[in-house]
Amino acid sequence: MTTTGSPAEPLAIGEVAARTGLSVHALRLYEREGLLVGPVGRTSGGRRRYTAADVEWLLICVKLRESGMPLADLKRFAELVRQGPGNEAERLRLLDAHRRRVEAQIRALEECRSVIAWKVGVYAEHLARGEADGLWDPTA
Amino acid sequence: MTTTGSPAEPLAIGEVAARTGLSVHALRLYEREGLLVGPVGRTSGGRRRYTAADVEWLLICVKLRESGMPLADLKRFAELVRQGPGNEAERLRLLDAHRRRVEAQIRALEECRSVIAWKVGVYAEHLARGEADGLWDPTA
DNA sequence: CTACGATCTCGACCAAGGTCTAGCTCAAGT
DNA sequence: ACTTGAGCTAGACCTTGGTCGAGATCGTAG
C-alpha cells in the first residue's frame, strides 16, 4: 500500500502525475498558472511535495478540464478558494454555470450521436446488401 | 423563400456560411484542407458556388466537428468518399469508431456532471445554512 | 459608369494547452 | 563515493483550428 489511497505522506510530482493522469509537465504548468489553491510544499532540496488535499483538488481539476472548463476558469475558482470564506456564492455561480454548459454539451453530443448512428446504419445496410452506391458521392 | 431549404441554385460562400454556421474564413480553410468531397464550383469570375450537396456535406462536417472529430479524420473521410465506391467498410469503421468515442465522451461528461452537481449541492447547502467554512480551503 | 458590398488569395497572427530540451541538482541504492 | 533516476527552472516549440488583414477583383444596383 505505498501507491494507493490517500497517503498521509506528501507525494513527489511523479506520484501525483501517476494518480491524476496529468503529466509532470502539466502539473508544473498548472502550478505556474496559479491553478492550485495553495503553494505546493517543497523539500529542503526544492522538490515539490503534494499533500493529499493537493491531489484531491487536482482530481477535481481533472474532472473539470475533462468536461471542458478552460484553465482560466479553473484559475478563477482556485483564487476564490484561496481567498477563503465569503465568496461562496460566486464559487457556486461558477460551478453551476459550468454544470449548465456540461449539460448543454451532453445534449449536443447526443444529437450528434444520433446523426452519426443513423449514418452508420445507412452504410451498414448498404454494405450488407453489397451495394454501396454513391452515398453523397458526387463522382459516382 | 430565397434563403431557406435546399435550393437548386448554387450558393455563394456567404450564404453557405449563414446556413452552416461556419465563417467564410472557415469555409475556405476547410476547402484548402481538403475536407470537401469534390472541388467547389466556381463562377467565371472565380467565386465559389456551393451546390446543395456541398452544403449537406458541410452540415455533416459541422455535426462531426461539434462532436469532436478532428479535421484530419474529416479529411480522411472526405478522401474515402472522393475515391468512390469500394471502401465503404472503411468509411463505416471510421464513423463507427467516432460514434464510440462520442458515446464514451457522453459517459465521461455525465460522470463529470454528477461530480459537479454534487459539489454545487455542497456549496448550496452551506450557503443556505449561512456557514460556508473552509471547503477544501487550506487557509481557513 | 460608378460605387459598393461580397469575394478572392496569401500569408500573418492568435489562443489554448501542453510538450520538450538543456543544463543542473538531488537523493537513494550498492 | 558513484551512478542513476527523478526533479528543478526557464524558455523554446508544437498542434489545432481557426481569425484577421492587405490588396485586388467581381458583380450588381443605381
Side-chain angles (χ1 to χ4, degrees):
Chain A
M1 272 271 230
T2 32
T3 54
T4 37
S6 297
E9 294 302 295
L11 298 171
I13 196 170
E15 283 294 325
V16 177
R19 42 192 99 184
T20 58
L22 296 164
S23 71
V24 296
H25 295 293
L27 282 169
R28 295 195 277 241
L29 172 69
Y30 281 19
E31 183 180 345
R32 268 204 307 286
E33 296 295 307
L35 270 60
L36 273 52
V37 169
V40 180
R42 298 292 181 124
T43 65
S44 51
R47 280 136 186 251
R48 290 171 181 82
R49 316 265 50 196
Y50 292 84
T51 65
D54 291 333
V55 174
E56 202 134 312
W57 172 258
L58 281 167
L59 288 171
I60 297 279
C61 286
V62 166
K63 278 283 165 231
L64 292 173
R65 286 289 302 125
E66 267 176 19
S67 51
M69 181 181 282
L71 294 194
D73 287 18
L74 230 28
K75 175 175 183 172
R76 178 79 190 119
F77 194 13
E79 272 162 6
L80 290 174
V81 175
R82 207 178 306 137
Q83 280 170 18
N87 55 23
E88 287 75 9
E90 189 167 354
R91 299 186 203 179
L92 178 54
R93 243 179 289 127
L94 218 160
L95 271 191
D96 204 45
H98 184 59
R99 186 175 56 75
R100 253 186 273 283
R101 279 193 300 267
V102 168
E103 278 164 6
Q105 202 187 336
I106 288 173
R107 281 192 298 278
L109 278 180
E110 276 166 349
E111 202 199 318
C112 293
R113 173 180 57 183
S114 73
V115 169
I116 296 165
W118 171 70
K119 251 354 183 168
V120 166
V122 171
Y123 269 111
E125 189 197 333
H126 278 250
L127 273 180
R129 290 207 246 123
E131 42 169 79
D133 352 71
L135 311 154
W136 310 317
D137 192 343
T139 71
Chain B
M1 268 272 229
T2 31
T3 56
T4 36
S6 295
E9 293 303 292
L11 298 170
I13 196 171
E15 282 294 323
V16 177
R19 40 193 100 185
T20 58
L22 296 164
S23 70
V24 296
H25 295 293
L27 282 170
R28 294 194 278 241
L29 173 68
Y30 281 19
E31 183 180 345
R32 267 203 309 286
E33 295 296 306
L35 269 60
L36 273 52
V37 170
V40 179
R42 300 290 181 127
T43 65
S44 50
R47 286 144 178 240
R48 291 170 181 81
R49 318 267 44 204
Y50 293 82
T51 66
D54 291 332
V55 174
E56 202 133 315
W57 172 258
L58 281 167
L59 288 171
I60 297 277
C61 285
V62 166
K63 277 285 165 229
L64 292 173
R65 286 287 305 124
E66 266 176 22
S67 51
M69 183 181 280
L71 294 193
D73 287 19
L74 229 30
K75 175 176 183 174
R76 178 79 191 118
F77 195 12
E79 273 163 5
L80 289 174
V81 175
R82 206 176 308 136
Q83 279 169 19
N87 54 24
E88 287 76 9
E90 189 168 354
R91 299 185 204 179
L92 178 54
R93 244 180 286 128
L94 218 160
L95 270 191
D96 203 46
H98 183 60
R99 187 176 54 76
R100 252 187 274 283
R101 279 194 300 269
V102 169
E103 279 165 4
Q105 201 187 337
I106 288 172
R107 280 192 298 278
L109 278 180
E110 277 166 348
E111 204 199 316
C112 293
R113 174 179 57 183
S114 71
V115 168
I116 295 165
W118 171 71
K119 252 350 182 169
V120 166
V122 171
Y123 270 110
E125 189 197 335
H126 278 249
L127 273 180
R129 289 207 246 123
E131 40 169 80
D133 349 74
L135 311 155
W136 307 319
D137 192 343
T139 71

